[in-house]
Amino acid sequence: LLRSNAKKEDDIWVTGELGLAALGLAKLQKKIQLPKSLSKKAIGALEKPMLHSSIIKIMARLSNSAIDISDGLIADLSHILKASKVGADLSLKDIPMNPWLKKNKLIDIGLSGGDDYQLLFTTPKKNRNKINLLSKVRSIKLTRIGSIKKDKSLKIIDNKGMLYKTKKKGYDHFETK
């Protein structure tokens, strides 16, 4: 699967829960205090990312484009959008992240935190039922979070229908200190 093959009106999907690895890193760096159960889960997500190798071949047949989320959802989705010369609308309420992040207003960790190694993929709408069924059969969380648009912008729409602005786009390999 290529980054450059996302099509207008494709659904955008992700596996798993986003932001946990970045939360684990922040905990290890003593930048944040977490409840004990969440701390263990977040550090586990950082140190032992979940690989979804059991669905990769199936997803390849159903998808137009894909990437792993290593630099953060926004950064890695932007790679697909740029390569495919398209844009996207995301629904903030649909993006799977731990409720603790939302409760503590740390949504940007879920949107821009790196090292999740979840899959981000686009599929034609006609494949929604197959993907939902795959999620049930394989017990892998697959969540539809938005759609590809012809307009080359990336919009994140919050629960009130307003545009959500992120503070950070994701990990930048060439960032200077």
Side-chain angles (χ1 to χ4, degrees), residues 18-23 69-74 76 107-117 168-171:
L18 305 181
L20 282 175
L23 204 54
I69 301 175
S70 56
D71 296 339
L73 172 65
I74 301 305
D76 289 315
I107 292 169
D108 278 7
I109 290 177
L111 296 175
S112 303
D115 296 325
D116 282 317
Y117 298 102
K168 187 176 179 189
K169 303 295 183 206
Y171 182 76

Side-chain angles (χ1 to χ4, degrees), residues 140-157:
I140 295 173
K141 185 174 184 171
L142 298 168
T143 308
R144 185 168 48 93
I145 62 170
S147 60
I148 298 294
K149 302 293 178 194
K150 186 176 182 177
D151 170 359
K152 293 181 184 171
S153 65
L154 171 56
K155 296 177 187 159
I156 304 168
I157 309 301

Side-chain angles (χ1 to χ4, degrees), residues 93-152:
K93 69 177 175 49
D94 294 332
I95 297 171
M97 58 182 88
N98 191 279
W100 189 89
L101 287 172
K102 291 180 180 181
K103 180 182 171 190
N104 290 280
K105 297 184 171 115
L106 295 170
I107 292 169
D108 278 7
I109 290 177
L111 296 175
S112 303
D115 296 325
D116 282 317
Y117 298 102
Q118 297 295 333
L119 300 176
L120 167 66
F121 54 97
T122 71
T123 67
K125 287 180 184 180
K126 68 180 182 180
N127 291 336
R128 278 184 194 170
N129 290 336
K130 291 176 185 175
I131 293 169
N132 285 321
L133 181 63
L134 178 65
S135 181
K136 290 176 185 163
V137 170
R138 298 291 176 125
S139 299
I140 295 173
K141 185 174 184 171
L142 298 168
T143 308
R144 185 168 48 93
I145 62 170
S147 60
I148 298 294
K149 302 293 178 194
K150 186 176 182 177
D151 170 359
K152 293 181 184 171

Side-chain angles (χ1 to χ4, degrees), residues 7-36:
K7 307 288 185 214
K8 185 180 123 190
E9 297 187 12
D10 272 2
D11 287 335
I12 301 168
W13 295 80
V14 294
T15 60
E17 195 172 68
L18 305 181
L20 282 175
L23 204 54
L25 180 61
K27 171 65 177 167
L28 290 174
Q29 293 174 333
K30 299 182 183 349
K31 292 180 179 178
I32 196 165
Q33 290 295 317
L34 299 174
K36 191 173 185 177

Side-chain angles (χ1 to χ4, degrees), residues 2-12 63-66 77 79-87 121-123 148-149:
L2 303 174
R3 298 176 183 184
S4 60
N5 205 32
K7 307 288 185 214
K8 185 180 123 190
E9 297 187 12
D10 272 2
D11 287 335
I12 301 168
S63 302
N64 286 330
S65 66
L77 176 58
H79 295 315
I80 286 179
L81 301 180
K82 183 177 179 183
S84 298
K85 298 180 175 88
V86 293
F121 54 97
T122 71
T123 67
I148 298 294
K149 302 293 178 194

